[in-house]
Every structure is written in C-alpha cells, then in structure tokens.
Amino acid sequence: MPIQILHPVWMIAFLVLTATTFSLFGFIIGIWATGFEHLQFIPMLIVTPLTFPRRRVLLDRDVAWRLGHLQPLQPVVYLISGFRWSFYETSDVSVGMSLTMTLGFFAACLAIVGWIFKTGYRLKN
C-alpha cells in the first residue's frame, strides 16, 4: 500500500514537536518519581486511559456519544491530530488548534524542566 504524505514539512514539524514534548514530559516524570511505582503511575493511570474513550474505538454508540464530549480534554488528541492531518488532510480537531495546544504542552513542559534545573529539584542532595 503506497503511503503519500500530503504535507511533509508539517509532518516533520509535528513529529519533532510531539517527540520533544513527550521527551520533556518523560524527563519530568523521571525526576518526580522516587521509585518504579511512581515512574509507572502517570503513564498507566493517566495517559493510557486518555487514549481509550475515542469515538472510533468504542462500539456502543450511546457510550461513544457520552465519552466523545471528553475528547477536547485529552492532550493526546492534540498531539497526534496534527500529525494525522499532515498525512491525510483530515483530523479530529483543526490543525491550528492542534498546533496551538501542542505548542502549549511543549511550553508547559519546557517551563517545568527549566524550573527543575533552576531550583535543582531532586537534582541536588
């Protein structure tokens, strides 16, 4: 099956932005965690459940309609929606909103990492 990337420059931009955002978020979790249990807390109990209430995954239309209203609250939607748009020119949210929210998550993670380095939170004895 041939794959055509309709917007290769945007695809690379969203790829780098999403990868950097997830890397910064992983760094924050790694610094915050005091043990393996804490390290798995955020991905297991917060990030993974956010990926499940998607309209396309759910089979029951009534449940999908109710949980579909939660979609704008899911950060993962914005992180992958722009990437999906760069391939198919279709997405769940507008590409502008996806770019804005992804840049917002990136800026928030970057600010937290900057604060960690500035204060030495869990970096100093």
Side-chain angles (χ1 to χ4, degrees), residues 38-92:
H38 281 151
L39 191 61
Q40 292 300 315
F41 177 76
I42 300 287
M44 182 176 61
L45 294 177
I46 296 174
V47 175
T48 301
L50 284 177
T51 62
F52 288 126
R54 303 276 300 161
R55 287 182 234 192
R56 291 181 184 90
V57 174
L58 297 170
L59 298 176
D60 183 6
R61 290 179 186 250
D62 189 42
V63 174
W65 181 81
R66 286 184 197 145
L67 293 177
H69 296 301
L70 296 176
Q71 185 173 350
L73 302 175
Q74 301 173 12
V76 177
V77 169
Y78 300 107
L79 292 173
I80 64 170
S81 189
F83 194 67
R84 183 183 301 134
W85 174 84
S86 70
F87 276 89
Y88 307 114
E89 277 191 344
T90 183
S91 64
D92 295 336

